Each structure stands twice: as structure tokens, then as C-alpha cells.
Amino acid sequence: MPRILIVEDDSLILTSLARALAGKGFHVEIASSMHEADLASRVDLVLCDLGLPDGDGLLLVRRMSSERPDVPIIILTARDDETDVVAGLTSGAVDYVVKPFRLNELIARITLQLRLRERSLRDDDVRIGDLLIEVGARRVYRHGVEIELRPKEFDLLVRLATSVGTVVRRQHLIRDVWDQHWSGSTKTLDVHINSLRRKLGDSPGSPSLITASRGVGYRLEAR
Ligand code: CA
């Protein structure tokens, strides 16, 4: 069930859109500010308004698209100037829909982006140095040798790989790999990271493929 986050401060649009998308079988998350959007759980697609009470939605689009390049963002706004559309589409959004929008057209655009995302996740092999991740097949190789990972270890590696070279915050890893409602100890994250490191063949004394930014998060090194 695809999960869609709607970031919109107009409560009338928010509730009617949420209801319509839920009626089409999507799992819907809602946020009425940039702050609330940051707290959202794992999602597959984002619909984002630009005029938000706590800032310009373009900032949010930039941030989300750099943190989660695999999650398509569709801007949904009343701003219809060409310069706004261009700014939106160059900020990391994949599509730009002007209000008032046609509901069925919007749903068709959402469905298209989800299909494209699924295809790219299925087809993409991620190569990072001597590491090869076959995302669709859920297989991982290092130096050409396959490594057996448990499902959460694999998800964690893929999540780190989508932001290779940058620190992914602990709360984002927990949110994306586990669940927003996950109430377990954050120790679980460290346990999985350590197990992942061991399986990836890190040995004491040699530089690790996954490095910790103490108290902040973890980074998969780009090499
Ligand atoms: Ca607004």
C-alpha cells in the first residue's frame, strides 16, 4: 500500500484530498506545516504545498529531496507564474500541479510517479566502491562475494546508500527502516549497524565502510 504524505495548511484541501486518496487505497499521512512534515513517517511520495505557515515549502522540498532522493515530491500550489514552476521543478520536485487542481488528473500523476519509482528501485543496482547492492533482488555483494543480510540489515544498508557520503540521522534511520510507531530502544539501531559492519567485512583497525557521527547518525562512505 503506497504511503503518501500531504503537506498542506489549508484544512479544507487537506481533508478532502486525504479522503479522496484514502478512497483510492493509498495510506495517507498529513502535515500542516514544515515542522510536522519533518516528523512524518516513512513515505513513498509527497504532495507539498508551497505557502506554509512556518516557511516557504520550497525549502522543505529541497531538504526532503536531498535526504530522500528516492521519494518523489509533487508540488501542489496556487503559485502559477512560470518562474515559480521552474523554481519548483529545479528544487527537487518531480512534478508541479497548480491549484485549483483536477482530482483525477492529480491521482493519475501520483500513480505515474509511484510506478516510475517502483521501476527505478527494481532496476537500480547501486555500486559504491567494491560494494554492489541489487536493490530489487535484495542481494548484496562485496568484492564480488555475496553477503547474507537479514531484512532489516538490508533495508538499513539501502537507506544509507540512498544518502551515500552524508550522515543520516538516527531518527531518520529508525523512521525509514522501522516505523514511526516503533517504540523499541534505539539500541536496536546500533545492534543492526554493528552486525551490518561485521557482515560487510569490516575489521578492527581498517577504515569502516559505515562510520558513526556520534549521537547524530551514520554515514556510508563514498569510496
Ligand atoms: Ca498554503
Side-chain angles (χ1 to χ4, degrees):
M1 186 72 56
R3 301 162 76 99
I4 297 179
L5 168 66
I6 310 172
V7 188
E8 170 65 72
D9 63 322
D10 182 320
S11 60
L12 203 61
I13 295 177
L14 185 61
T15 48
S16 63
L17 195 50
R19 195 174 304 138
L21 292 177
K24 292 284 176 186
F26 296 108
H27 179 98
V28 179
E29 297 262 334
I30 56 174
S32 54
S33 65
M34 307 220 299
H35 173 68
E36 282 180 28
D38 283 335
L39 303 176
S41 71
R42 181 183 52 191
V43 294
D44 299 303
L45 183 141
V46 179
L47 291 175
C48 192
D49 184 23
L50 293 185
L52 292 167
D54 51 349
D56 190 332
L58 271 187
L59 297 173
L60 180 64
V61 171
R62 281 200 196 96
R63 189 162 71 230
M64 287 191 298
S65 65
S66 76
E67 282 178 2
R68 290 300 305 272
D70 59 315
V71 175
I73 302 169
I74 299 177
I75 290 174
L76 193 58
T77 178
R79 297 183 195 167
D80 61 353
D81 282 356
E82 185 183 13
T83 49
D84 289 322
V85 178
V86 171
L89 291 174
T90 51
S91 68
V94 296
D95 203 356
Y96 192 107
V97 176
V98 175
K99 296 173 188 168
F101 56 90
R102 291 180 294 230
L103 182 61
N104 287 328
E105 178 186 327
L106 178 63
I107 291 170
R109 289 180 183 277
I110 290 169
T111 307
L112 169 66
Q113 292 302 335
L114 288 171
R115 199 166 63 232
L116 291 173
R117 173 177 192 254
E118 194 180 311
R119 188 184 302 162
S120 84
L121 289 179
R122 192 173 55 230
D123 292 348
D124 276 5
D125 288 352
V126 180
R127 272 172 210 282
I128 298 160
D130 51 33
L131 190 68
L132 168 64
I133 309 171
E134 293 180 350
V135 178
R138 297 182 68 89
R139 287 170 185 270
V140 177
Y141 304 83
R142 192 168 188 197
H143 306 294
V145 179
E146 186 170 359
I147 298 165
E148 298 282 343
L149 295 181
R150 289 186 293 160
K152 289 296 183 200
E153 292 166 352
F154 181 84
D155 294 341
L156 197 50
L157 180 61
V158 170
R159 177 61 191 88
L160 288 169
T162 58
S163 304
V164 66
T166 59
V167 174
V168 184
R169 292 181 168 275
R170 298 177 64 87
Q171 63 265 38
H172 292 169
L173 288 170
I174 290 168
R175 177 191 68 191
D176 296 338
V177 174
W178 283 271
D179 194 87
Q180 63 165 339
H181 304 300
W182 186 64
S183 58
S185 159
T186 63
K187 272 277 169 218
T188 304
L189 172 63
D190 303 300
V191 169
H192 279 76
I193 289 278
N194 287 336
S195 169
L196 191 52
R197 281 173 162 162
R198 208 164 45 241
K199 289 182 180 179
L200 291 175
D202 279 357
S203 51
S206 66
S208 182
L209 206 55
I210 298 171
T211 52
S213 178
R214 202 172 292 274
V216 179
Y218 290 99
R219 175 178 53 227
L220 183 64
E221 298 296 340
R223 61 182 157 83

PDB file of all heavy atoms in Angstrom, residues 26-50:
ATOM      1  N   PHE A  26      -4.783   4.540  -1.010  1.00  0.00           N
ATOM      2  CA  PHE A  26      -3.478   4.959  -0.521  1.00  0.00           C
ATOM      3  C   PHE A  26      -3.517   5.103   0.996  1.00  0.00           C
ATOM      4  O   PHE A  26      -4.546   5.451   1.572  1.00  0.00           O
ATOM      5  CB  PHE A  26      -3.070   6.312  -1.123  1.00  0.00           C
ATOM      6  CG  PHE A  26      -2.883   6.282  -2.606  1.00  0.00           C
ATOM      7  CD1 PHE A  26      -3.802   6.898  -3.462  1.00  0.00           C
ATOM      8  CD2 PHE A  26      -1.787   5.632  -3.162  1.00  0.00           C
ATOM      9  CE1 PHE A  26      -3.632   6.867  -4.831  1.00  0.00           C
ATOM     10  CE2 PHE A  26      -1.611   5.604  -4.531  1.00  0.00           C
ATOM     11  CZ  PHE A  26      -2.529   6.217  -5.370  1.00  0.00           C
ATOM     12  N   HIS A  27      -2.355   4.863   1.608  1.00  0.00           N
ATOM     13  CA  HIS A  27      -2.220   5.161   3.027  1.00  0.00           C
ATOM     14  C   HIS A  27      -1.779   6.625   3.107  1.00  0.00           C
ATOM     15  O   HIS A  27      -0.781   7.004   2.504  1.00  0.00           O
ATOM     16  CB  HIS A  27      -1.178   4.252   3.664  1.00  0.00           C
ATOM     17  CG  HIS A  27      -0.981   4.521   5.113  1.00  0.00           C
ATOM     18  ND1 HIS A  27      -1.580   3.779   6.095  1.00  0.00           N
ATOM     19  CD2 HIS A  27      -0.291   5.494   5.750  1.00  0.00           C
ATOM     20  CE1 HIS A  27      -1.256   4.268   7.275  1.00  0.00           C
ATOM     21  NE2 HIS A  27      -0.470   5.314   7.098  1.00  0.00           N
ATOM     22  N   VAL A  28      -2.536   7.455   3.817  1.00  0.00           N
ATOM     23  CA  VAL A  28      -2.279   8.892   3.796  1.00  0.00           C
ATOM     24  C   VAL A  28      -1.760   9.397   5.137  1.00  0.00           C
ATOM     25  O   VAL A  28      -2.300   9.073   6.193  1.00  0.00           O
ATOM     26  CB  VAL A  28      -3.567   9.674   3.426  1.00  0.00           C
ATOM     27  CG1 VAL A  28      -3.299  11.167   3.422  1.00  0.00           C
ATOM     28  CG2 VAL A  28      -4.090   9.220   2.067  1.00  0.00           C
ATOM     29  N   GLU A  29      -0.684  10.176   5.061  1.00  0.00           N
ATOM     30  CA  GLU A  29      -0.159  10.880   6.237  1.00  0.00           C
ATOM     31  C   GLU A  29      -0.400  12.361   5.987  1.00  0.00           C
ATOM     32  O   GLU A  29      -0.290  12.808   4.834  1.00  0.00           O
ATOM     33  CB  GLU A  29       1.361  10.691   6.337  1.00  0.00           C
ATOM     34  CG  GLU A  29       1.805   9.282   6.526  1.00  0.00           C
ATOM     35  CD  GLU A  29       2.083   8.979   7.981  1.00  0.00           C
ATOM     36  OE1 GLU A  29       2.405   9.922   8.720  1.00  0.00           O
ATOM     37  OE2 GLU A  29       1.959   7.809   8.353  1.00  0.00           O
ATOM     38  N   ILE A  30      -0.709  13.125   7.018  1.00  0.00           N
ATOM     39  CA  ILE A  30      -0.922  14.552   6.784  1.00  0.00           C
ATOM     40  C   ILE A  30      -0.020  15.402   7.669  1.00  0.00           C
ATOM     41  O   ILE A  30       0.342  15.011   8.775  1.00  0.00           O
ATOM     42  CB  ILE A  30      -2.403  14.951   7.007  1.00  0.00           C
ATOM     43  CG1 ILE A  30      -2.867  14.570   8.402  1.00  0.00           C
ATOM     44  CG2 ILE A  30      -3.298  14.331   5.948  1.00  0.00           C
ATOM     45  CD1 ILE A  30      -4.275  15.067   8.723  1.00  0.00           C
ATOM     46  N   ALA A  31       0.335  16.582   7.128  1.00  0.00           N
ATOM     47  CA  ALA A  31       1.123  17.558   7.883  1.00  0.00           C
ATOM     48  C   ALA A  31       0.650  18.929   7.447  1.00  0.00           C
ATOM     49  O   ALA A  31       0.438  19.160   6.251  1.00  0.00           O
ATOM     50  CB  ALA A  31       2.611  17.383   7.590  1.00  0.00           C
ATOM     51  N   SER A  32       0.490  19.855   8.392  1.00  0.00           N
ATOM     52  CA  SER A  32       0.009  21.178   8.007  1.00  0.00           C
ATOM     53  C   SER A  32       1.090  22.251   8.158  1.00  0.00           C
ATOM     54  O   SER A  32       0.819  23.437   8.067  1.00  0.00           O
ATOM     55  CB  SER A  32      -1.230  21.558   8.813  1.00  0.00           C
ATOM     56  OG  SER A  32      -0.964  21.438  10.188  1.00  0.00           O
ATOM     57  N   SER A  33       2.335  21.792   8.367  1.00  0.00           N
ATOM     58  CA  SER A  33       3.451  22.741   8.443  1.00  0.00           C
ATOM     59  C   SER A  33       4.735  22.002   8.071  1.00  0.00           C
ATOM     60  O   SER A  33       4.746  20.769   7.993  1.00  0.00           O
ATOM     61  CB  SER A  33       3.576  23.297   9.856  1.00  0.00           C
ATOM     62  OG  SER A  33       3.920  22.265  10.750  1.00  0.00           O
ATOM     63  N   MET A  34       5.813  22.769   7.852  1.00  0.00           N
ATOM     64  CA  MET A  34       7.104  22.142   7.552  1.00  0.00           C
ATOM     65  C   MET A  34       7.547  21.294   8.741  1.00  0.00           C
ATOM     66  O   MET A  34       8.077  20.202   8.572  1.00  0.00           O
ATOM     67  CB  MET A  34       8.161  23.216   7.272  1.00  0.00           C
ATOM     68  CG  MET A  34       7.731  24.191   6.205  1.00  0.00           C
ATOM     69  SD  MET A  34       9.040  24.671   5.068  1.00  0.00           S
ATOM     70  CE  MET A  34      10.205  25.416   6.096  1.00  0.00           C
ATOM     71  N   HIS A  35       7.311  21.839   9.942  1.00  0.00           N
ATOM     72  CA  HIS A  35       7.725  21.122  11.155  1.00  0.00           C
ATOM     73  C   HIS A  35       7.056  19.748  11.238  1.00  0.00           C
ATOM     74  O   HIS A  35       7.710  18.738  11.493  1.00  0.00           O
ATOM     75  CB  HIS A  35       7.377  21.966  12.383  1.00  0.00           C
ATOM     76  CG  HIS A  35       7.601  21.257  13.675  1.00  0.00           C
ATOM     77  ND1 HIS A  35       8.860  20.932  14.136  1.00  0.00           N
ATOM     78  CD2 HIS A  35       6.726  20.764  14.594  1.00  0.00           C
ATOM     79  CE1 HIS A  35       8.749  20.286  15.279  1.00  0.00           C
ATOM     80  NE2 HIS A  35       7.465  20.168  15.584  1.00  0.00           N
ATOM     81  N   GLU A  36       5.744  19.732  10.984  1.00  0.00           N
ATOM     82  CA  GLU A  36       5.034  18.450  11.059  1.00  0.00           C
ATOM     83  C   GLU A  36       5.503  17.490   9.970  1.00  0.00           C
ATOM     84  O   GLU A  36       5.569  16.283  10.182  1.00  0.00           O
ATOM     85  CB  GLU A  36       3.522  18.669  10.924  1.00  0.00           C
ATOM     86  CG  GLU A  36       2.875  19.179  12.194  1.00  0.00           C
ATOM     87  CD  GLU A  36       1.367  19.384  12.039  1.00  0.00           C
ATOM     88  OE1 GLU A  36       0.736  18.684  11.224  1.00  0.00           O
ATOM     89  OE2 GLU A  36       0.849  20.260  12.732  1.00  0.00           O
ATOM     90  N   ALA A  37       5.843  18.049   8.817  1.00  0.00           N
ATOM     91  CA  ALA A  37       6.313  17.196   7.713  1.00  0.00           C
ATOM     92  C   ALA A  37       7.600  16.483   8.104  1.00  0.00           C
ATOM     93  O   ALA A  37       7.818  15.329   7.743  1.00  0.00           O
ATOM     94  CB  ALA A  37       6.529  18.033   6.457  1.00  0.00           C
ATOM     95  N   ASP A  38       8.453  17.166   8.859  1.00  0.00           N
ATOM     96  CA  ASP A  38       9.718  16.563   9.285  1.00  0.00           C
ATOM     97  C   ASP A  38       9.497  15.366  10.199  1.00  0.00           C
ATOM     98  O   ASP A  38      10.353  14.502  10.320  1.00  0.00           O
ATOM     99  CB  ASP A  38      10.579  17.592  10.026  1.00  0.00           C
ATOM    100  CG  ASP A  38      11.251  18.552   9.052  1.00  0.00           C
ATOM    101  OD1 ASP A  38      11.439  18.156   7.892  1.00  0.00           O
ATOM    102  OD2 ASP A  38      11.567  19.673   9.461  1.00  0.00           O
ATOM    103  N   LEU A  39       8.340  15.344  10.866  1.00  0.00           N
ATOM    104  CA  LEU A  39       8.069  14.271  11.806  1.00  0.00           C
ATOM    105  C   LEU A  39       7.342  13.094  11.145  1.00  0.00           C
ATOM    106  O   LEU A  39       7.059  12.098  11.791  1.00  0.00           O
ATOM    107  CB  LEU A  39       7.201  14.794  12.968  1.00  0.00           C
ATOM    108  CG  LEU A  39       7.773  15.983  13.743  1.00  0.00           C
ATOM    109  CD1 LEU A  39       6.785  16.459  14.803  1.00  0.00           C
ATOM    110  CD2 LEU A  39       9.094  15.597  14.403  1.00  0.00           C
ATOM    111  N   ALA A  40       7.046  13.239   9.870  1.00  0.00           N
ATOM    112  CA  ALA A  40       6.258  12.208   9.197  1.00  0.00           C
ATOM    113  C   ALA A  40       7.028  10.892   9.124  1.00  0.00           C
ATOM    114  O   ALA A  40       8.251  10.874   9.156  1.00  0.00           O
ATOM    115  CB  ALA A  40       5.886  12.664   7.796  1.00  0.00           C
ATOM    116  N   SER A  41       6.295   9.834   9.014  1.00  0.00           N
ATOM    117  CA  SER A  41       6.932   8.521   8.974  1.00  0.00           C
ATOM    118  C   SER A  41       7.403   8.201   7.554  1.00  0.00           C
ATOM    119  O   SER A  41       7.370   9.045   6.675  1.00  0.00           O
ATOM    120  CB  SER A  41       5.948   7.470   9.460  1.00  0.00           C
ATOM    121  OG  SER A  41       4.948   7.314   8.490  1.00  0.00           O
ATOM    122  N   ARG A  42       7.811   6.981   7.369  1.00  0.00           N
ATOM    123  CA  ARG A  42       8.273   6.522   6.057  1.00  0.00           C
ATOM    124  C   ARG A  42       7.173   6.736   5.021  1.00  0.00           C
ATOM    125  O   ARG A  42       6.033   6.352   5.219  1.00  0.00           O
ATOM    126  CB  ARG A  42       8.591   5.032   6.192  1.00  0.00           C
ATOM    127  CG  ARG A  42       9.100   4.364   4.958  1.00  0.00           C
ATOM    128  CD  ARG A  42       9.277   2.907   5.244  1.00  0.00           C
ATOM    129  NE  ARG A  42       8.046   2.348   5.811  1.00  0.00           N
ATOM    130  CZ  ARG A  42       7.958   1.148   6.348  1.00  0.00           C
ATOM    131  NH1 ARG A  42       9.005   0.397   6.433  1.00  0.00           N
ATOM    132  NH2 ARG A  42       6.809   0.707   6.819  1.00  0.00           N
ATOM    133  N   VAL A  43       7.508   7.365   3.910  1.00  0.00           N
ATOM    134  CA  VAL A  43       6.503   7.599   2.870  1.00  0.00           C
ATOM    135  C   VAL A  43       7.082   7.233   1.497  1.00  0.00           C
ATOM    136  O   VAL A  43       8.284   7.129   1.327  1.00  0.00           O
ATOM    137  CB  VAL A  43       6.009   9.063   2.836  1.00  0.00           C
ATOM    138  CG1 VAL A  43       5.253   9.410   4.102  1.00  0.00           C
ATOM    139  CG2 VAL A  43       7.153  10.025   2.614  1.00  0.00           C
ATOM    140  N   ASP A  44       6.186   7.037   0.535  1.00  0.00           N
ATOM    141  CA  ASP A  44       6.600   6.692  -0.817  1.00  0.00           C
ATOM    142  C   ASP A  44       6.496   7.874  -1.775  1.00  0.00           C
ATOM    143  O   ASP A  44       7.092   7.866  -2.848  1.00  0.00           O
ATOM    144  CB  ASP A  44       5.735   5.539  -1.343  1.00  0.00           C
ATOM    145  CG  ASP A  44       5.885   4.303  -0.472  1.00  0.00           C
ATOM    146  OD1 ASP A  44       7.023   3.834  -0.310  1.00  0.00           O
ATOM    147  OD2 ASP A  44       4.870   3.839   0.072  1.00  0.00           O
ATOM    148  N   LEU A  45       5.690   8.875  -1.396  1.00  0.00           N
ATOM    149  CA  LEU A  45       5.505  10.041  -2.250  1.00  0.00           C
ATOM    150  C   LEU A  45       5.007  11.190  -1.378  1.00  0.00           C
ATOM    151  O   LEU A  45       4.312  10.972  -0.401  1.00  0.00           O
ATOM    152  CB  LEU A  45       4.495   9.733  -3.367  1.00  0.00           C
ATOM    153  CG  LEU A  45       4.225  10.822  -4.406  1.00  0.00           C
ATOM    154  CD1 LEU A  45       4.074  10.206  -5.802  1.00  0.00           C
ATOM    155  CD2 LEU A  45       2.964  11.620  -4.076  1.00  0.00           C
ATOM    156  N   VAL A  46       5.401  12.418  -1.776  1.00  0.00           N
ATOM    157  CA  VAL A  46       4.988  13.592  -1.005  1.00  0.00           C
ATOM    158  C   VAL A  46       4.262  14.576  -1.917  1.00  0.00           C
ATOM    159  O   VAL A  46       4.713  14.855  -3.034  1.00  0.00           O
ATOM    160  CB  VAL A  46       6.214  14.309  -0.379  1.00  0.00           C
ATOM    161  CG1 VAL A  46       5.768  15.542   0.408  1.00  0.00           C
ATOM    162  CG2 VAL A  46       7.009  13.364   0.514  1.00  0.00           C
ATOM    163  N   LEU A  47       3.117  15.070  -1.443  1.00  0.00           N
ATOM    164  CA  LEU A  47       2.433  16.189  -2.087  1.00  0.00           C
ATOM    165  C   LEU A  47       2.714  17.398  -1.218  1.00  0.00           C
ATOM    166  O   LEU A  47       2.419  17.384  -0.025  1.00  0.00           O
ATOM    167  CB  LEU A  47       0.917  15.957  -2.129  1.00  0.00           C
ATOM    168  CG  LEU A  47       0.406  14.857  -3.043  1.00  0.00           C
ATOM    169  CD1 LEU A  47      -1.101  14.697  -2.848  1.00  0.00           C
ATOM    170  CD2 LEU A  47       0.707  15.197  -4.502  1.00  0.00           C
ATOM    171  N   CYS A  48       3.294  18.446  -1.796  1.00  0.00           N
ATOM    172  CA  CYS A  48       3.753  19.547  -0.957  1.00  0.00           C
ATOM    173  C   CYS A  48       3.246  20.904  -1.425  1.00  0.00           C
ATOM    174  O   CYS A  48       3.494  21.311  -2.564  1.00  0.00           O
ATOM    175  CB  CYS A  48       5.282  19.532  -0.913  1.00  0.00           C
ATOM    176  SG  CYS A  48       5.955  20.611   0.340  1.00  0.00           S
ATOM    177  N   ASP A  49       2.543  21.583  -0.552  1.00  0.00           N
ATOM    178  CA  ASP A  49       2.124  22.966  -0.761  1.00  0.00           C
ATOM    179  C   ASP A  49       3.369  23.864  -0.618  1.00  0.00           C
ATOM    180  O   ASP A  49       4.357  23.447  -0.014  1.00  0.00           O
ATOM    181  CB  ASP A  49       1.084  23.296   0.318  1.00  0.00           C
ATOM    182  CG  ASP A  49       0.498  24.688   0.164  1.00  0.00           C
ATOM    183  OD1 ASP A  49       0.537  25.238  -0.959  1.00  0.00           O
ATOM    184  OD2 ASP A  49      -0.020  25.210   1.170  1.00  0.00           O
ATOM    185  N   LEU A  50       3.321  25.064  -1.172  1.00  0.00           N
ATOM    186  CA  LEU A  50       4.480  25.963  -1.023  1.00  0.00           C
ATOM    187  C   LEU A  50       4.267  27.021   0.055  1.00  0.00           C
ATOM    188  O   LEU A  50       5.170  27.344   0.812  1.00  0.00           O
ATOM    189  CB  LEU A  50       4.827  26.621  -2.362  1.00  0.00           C
ATOM    190  CG  LEU A  50       5.356  25.667  -3.443  1.00  0.00           C
ATOM    191  CD1 LEU A  50       5.772  26.448  -4.687  1.00  0.00           C
ATOM    192  CD2 LEU A  50       6.516  24.824  -2.937  1.00  0.00           C
TER     193      LEU A  50
END
